[in-house]
Amino acid sequence: MTSLNEIRAMRSLTLGLTFLCAAPALTAQTQNLVFITNAPVPGVATPGQAGSIGDGTDSDDTRKVVVFDVDFDGDEDVLFLNHDGFGRGLLNDGFGAFTVDTASADDLYSCTAGVGAKGVAVGDADGDGDADVFIATGPVGGVQQANVWLANSPGPFTNFQDVSAFQPAHVDHSYDAAFLQLDGMVALAVANRMGGGVTGQNRLYVDSNLDGVFETVAPSGGEFASDQAADVRSSRDLVVADFDGDGLDDVFVAKSTAPDGMLLSELMLPTGDRDSSDIRSGKWVIGTMAPNESRTISVMGSATGPGVISSCTQASYDRSMCMVTTVVQPGLQLELMAPAEVLVCDDIVVMYRLCNPGTGDATNVKVSAAYPEGLVDADGSKMLNKTFPKLAPGQCEEFSVALTAEKAGNYTHVGMAKADADLSSNARNMNTIVRQPELRIECAKAKDVFVGRQGSNSITVSNVGDYVSANTVLRARMSDNMGFIRASNNGMNDAEKSPDLVTWNLGDLAPGQSVTVNMTLRTLDIGTAEVTARAEGVCAPEVACSTEADIKGIPAVLLEVVDENDPVVVGENEIYTITATNQGSAEDTNIRIVGILTSNTQFVSASGATTGTLQGNRVVFEPLASLDPDDDAVWKIVVKSVSAGNVRFRVTMHTDQLGATPVEETEATNFYE
């Protein structure tokens, strides 16, 4: 297995090359460059072949460069790790000429693996003799990227995993990492930062079986494990070295807003308290011993010459009695989170997080907030009041409130926490935009139509709100004197279950979008025809409209005249039967019948639906008030033939619906001697 000291030598090779890494700009492309020392001219560096990465179209925010033999060809290759772009690599041909690596380390150069890089650790983590890579990542664009662990076996990197594969899983805002030797095991130290919405806690992972499987270690002391409060301690870098001369690697952490810290190896061992020793001085620090506990210390040495060797051992322990007074300072920190946008029919869930970042108890803690005008909670209250008797140091409490909005709008959420000792904290205000789809429906005025004819209706549905009306449905119901024929826009009618109902599934209507549908109906009966339409969508209240039309009938009266005795001998009577039949769909009114006699005839009598009288040569019947559809009326006129000839008996009919033009009918009769 390659030792970690050898791996560190790989990392130190980065000092042999000069790397120019330009930060990305919005208006210019950047390139990474490799310069190779020109041996004939000491101190002069020239760009290596293919020294630039990319063709000028790449814009990489490079944060870390490492050098090691990626492709196992015996020379040193270059690996660039970028914060907001793809990771990239240059492969060395052994003579200072580099080519962009596109064949190997595909995972390393992908967005998933390469984005957010801020630090890197290189070492043989799985005991296979090659260099493996751990990439420490931070958030990009407000999104936390997962740390990446890549095993090289050999050639292209394989066994891609992130920190979620470690036990337990962590997702941290990481800045740096390093492998180290720890009591026959391989360990990984990761420096993490607090902030950016991510909990900061420096981590130590141990691969006890040298198989690339790491488990977390909870250090028992040292500043390495103390990143607890937000934006108070922020680890940025770490180095590994044997600081105390015990042959084990220690970790030194550099921080930006807190004292730097050191974690010695004896504080990192996962098996509990270990004895620390200094062979050179012959001192052992055993630490704390429980009652009846014993410890054995073995020392092996070699004699340098003949003689008597004497050994003396002295044990001592701290017998002092001390009184310690701890001065504590409680603290309060209130945060709230609320959705940026919701629908008016959805709950606005406001999350509150109350913490005590101090060192003492915070007592009588009260959280209060006045809800924005137009918002109420489930109890109908417009105020938040919540009390916590005590918050211990480091304790956090989370709770939520579900609010409902009376109408659409922009709402600002606030919150304040107070406690004894004049402690207070105001949460950062957050806004929620409440949106609502709003439907508008319009029924076009229907035209009057005659019975038995087709009529049409037009309905328009519009979204006048500021959000999509999802799953919009339109239903139109018609009166009983109408029947469905067809509809546009896939309107459906169930003739068996609901013959009077037409349904349209309009889908999603965007703000400002309108849909117009049409349906064709059959008129079945005279009267007023009505169509009522209703539309609704998800979170869009129902709207309705209606329209009416008159279904009219058509009177159609048929006039018939029939002679019963044709031909007739002069001197005998002839009977003329007059029949009026309404073959239309509406009643006819004020039917007036007149029979006109010729000179060949003499009036005898008149009878029928109304009374008739002789006026000159005209037999005039009293008006018939009305004649319903499919009904008829009959009149009879009896005349006596007085001379021979071919007679034309004429009848006229007037009705209100006929207007000024009467209907006329004649009947020919042969009078003979």
Side-chain angles (χ1 to χ4, degrees):
M1 171 179 176
T2 302
S3 70
L4 289 174
N5 289 330
E6 293 172 336
I7 300 300
R8 284 195 200 96
M10 298 180 190
R11 300 180 68 194
S12 68
L13 290 174
T14 59
L15 302 176
L17 303 175
T18 301
F19 304 97
L20 303 182
C21 305
L26 296 177
T27 59
Q29 302 292 337
T30 62
Q31 293 180 319
N32 296 302
L33 301 178
V34 179
F35 291 84
I36 305 299
T37 301
N38 192 342
V41 184
V44 178
T46 59
Q49 300 179 28
S52 63
I53 294 184
D55 55 5
T57 61
D58 302 316
S59 181
D60 297 327
D61 182 7
T62 303
R63 299 295 180 92
K64 208 73 173 180
V65 181
V66 291
V67 175
F68 64 97
D69 189 1
V70 175
D71 51 6
F72 292 86
D73 61 356
D75 52 43
E76 305 299 339
D77 306 304
V78 184
L79 193 62
F80 295 92
L81 299 176
N82 301 319
H83 182 62
D84 59 357
F86 296 153
R88 306 185 187 277
L90 295 179
L91 299 181
N92 189 2
D93 66 353
F95 300 95
F98 294 83
T99 57
V100 177
D101 183 9
T102 59
S104 64
D106 290 335
D107 285 331
L108 187 61
Y109 305 148
S110 69
C111 267
T112 302
V115 171
K118 291 189 176 182
V120 63
V122 180
D124 185 5
D126 52 6
D128 62 355
D130 54 50
D132 307 309
V133 179
F134 178 88
I135 304 174
T137 62
V140 178
V143 179
Q144 176 61 35
Q145 309 296 312
N147 293 320
V148 177
W149 159 241
L150 301 167
N152 195 5
S153 61
F157 290 96
T158 58
N159 300 328
F160 168 83
Q161 36 180 310
D162 60 25
V163 174
S164 64
F166 294 178
Q167 299 296 325
H170 301 120
V171 177
D172 297 306
H173 187 160
S174 304
Y175 259 76
D176 201 8
F179 289 106
L180 62 153
Q181 286 184 330
L182 187 63
D183 198 28
M185 300 174 290
V186 174
L188 174 66
V190 184
N192 296 313
R193 175 180 180 266
M194 193 76 173
V198 178
T199 302
Q201 175 66 57
N202 296 322
R203 312 281 186 189
L204 183 69
Y205 302 93
V206 174
D207 178 8
S208 57
N209 297 322
L210 300 180
D211 56 1
V213 178
F214 288 80
E215 295 184 355
T216 190
V217 175
S220 59
E223 284 293 320
F224 187 76
S226 62
D227 282 0
Q228 301 287 341
D231 302 321
V232 175
R233 299 179 175 90
S234 186
S235 300
R236 298 296 183 116
D237 200 2
L238 59 83
V239 294
V240 174
D242 184 7
F243 292 108
D244 56 1
D246 62 356
L248 299 177
D249 288 334
D250 308 304
V251 180
F252 186 89
V253 183
K255 302 183 179 184
S256 62
T257 57
D260 301 330
M262 181 182 296
L263 185 63
L264 300 178
S265 57
E266 57 263 28
L267 301 177
M268 294 188 284
L269 298 176
T271 55
D273 293 334
R274 299 286 186 95
D275 300 341
S276 67
S277 62
D278 186 345
I279 301 296
R280 295 164 297 182
S281 64
K283 294 181 179 180
W284 290 264
V285 179
I286 297 178
T288 301
M289 295 184 65
N292 299 318
E293 182 183 0
S294 62
R295 300 281 184 94
T296 300
I297 300 173
S298 299
V299 180
M300 182 178 293
S302 59
T304 59
V308 178
I309 300 176
S310 63
S311 302
C312 299
T313 303
Q314 181 180 359
S316 63
Y317 64 96
D318 189 357
R319 289 178 284 185
S320 62
M321 298 184 63
C322 302
M323 179 176 293
V324 178
T325 301
T326 302
V327 179
V328 299
Q329 176 62 56
L332 278 183
Q333 183 179 54
L334 180 65
E335 299 176 341
L336 69 84
M337 294 179 291
E341 183 176 296
V342 299
L343 287 176
V344 71
C345 58
D346 296 332
D347 288 339
I348 305 173
V349 181
V350 182
M351 302 290 298
Y352 293 88
R353 178 179 174 85
L354 177 66
C355 296
N356 179 4
T359 57
D361 293 340
T363 58
N364 194 25
V365 184
K366 298 180 179 179
V367 180
S368 62
Y371 303 143
E373 185 67 27
L375 299 185
V376 296
D377 60 22
D379 298 327
S381 176
K382 297 182 178 181
M383 286 289 296
L384 167 67
N385 290 290
K386 198 171 184 66
T387 300
F388 299 89
K390 184 181 71 173
L391 284 181
Q395 181 182 353
C396 293
E397 295 289 343
E398 295 182 350
F399 61 93
S400 63
V401 178
L403 305 177
T404 57
E406 299 174 351
K407 60 181 180 179
N410 192 348
Y411 300 91
T412 301
H413 308 284
V414 299
M416 173 182 287
K418 292 185 176 181
D420 295 339
D422 294 328
L423 296 178
S424 65
S425 175
N426 292 324
R428 181 172 60 90
N429 297 348
M430 297 197 69
N431 292 334
T432 297
I433 298 176
V434 178
R435 302 190 182 278
Q436 180 180 16
E438 182 180 353
L439 296 178
R440 182 175 296 168
I441 190 171
E442 180 180 1
C443 295
K445 173 63 179 171
K447 296 181 179 180
D448 296 342
V449 64
F450 291 104
V451 66
R453 303 293 184 180
Q454 294 183 0
S456 62
N457 288 85
S458 176
I459 306 168
T460 300
V461 180
S462 305
N463 183 2
V464 297
D466 59 359
Y467 200 82
V468 173
S469 175
N471 300 327
T472 308
V473 178
L474 171 64
R475 298 178 179 89
R477 193 174 296 275
M478 68 195 84
S479 54
D480 294 340
N481 56 352
M482 306 185 75
F484 176 78
I485 297 177
R486 59 182 175 272
S488 67
N489 300 75
N490 297 318
M492 304 298 294
N493 170 257
D494 191 335
E496 294 184 0
K497 296 182 179 180
S498 301
D500 62 338
L501 181 65
V502 183
T503 302
W504 292 265
N505 292 316
L506 303 180
D508 297 344
L509 291 185
Q513 183 179 357
S514 298
V515 176
T516 299
V517 302
N518 296 281
M519 61 178 177
T520 302
L521 305 175
R522 182 183 297 107
T523 57
L524 303 177
D525 198 3
I526 298 173
T528 300
E530 183 179 10
V531 174
T532 301
R534 301 180 184 275
E536 61 183 343
V538 176
C539 208
E542 183 183 84
V543 291
C545 67
S546 62
T547 184
E548 293 181 350
D550 289 333
I551 301 178
K552 300 178 179 180
I554 303 175
V557 180
L558 173 66
L559 179 65
E560 294 179 301
V561 182
V562 179
D563 55 0
E564 296 184 3
N565 300 319
D566 188 26
V568 179
V569 178
V570 174
E572 294 182 354
N573 292 343
E574 177 64 280
I575 301 172
Y576 290 100
T577 301
I578 305 166
T579 304
T581 304
N582 190 350
Q583 298 177 322
S585 56
E587 74 171 2
D588 208 344
T589 58
N590 197 21
I591 297 97
R592 303 179 301 277
I593 302 296
V594 177
I596 303 172
L597 305 181
T598 67
S599 60
N600 305 75
T601 60
Q602 181 182 345
F603 175 76
V604 178
S605 65
S607 62
T610 59
T611 302
T613 59
L614 180 65
Q615 298 177 12
N617 68 334
R618 301 161 62 91
V619 180
V620 180
F621 290 92
E622 294 291 330
L624 181 64
S626 65
L627 188 62
D628 293 331
D630 298 328
D631 283 352
D632 59 23
V634 180
W635 295 267
K636 290 182 181 281
I637 298 176
V638 182
V639 298
K640 180 179 180 181
S641 62
V642 296
S643 62
N646 192 13
V647 178
R648 287 279 180 178
F649 182 74
R650 185 160 56 95
V651 179
T652 64
M653 179 179 67
H654 291 79
T655 71
D656 289 345
Q657 282 67 31
L658 289 175
T661 304
V663 174
E664 187 175 284
E665 185 70 22
T666 62
E667 177 69 359
T669 307
N670 185 16
F671 292 167
Y672 68 96
E673 296 180 354

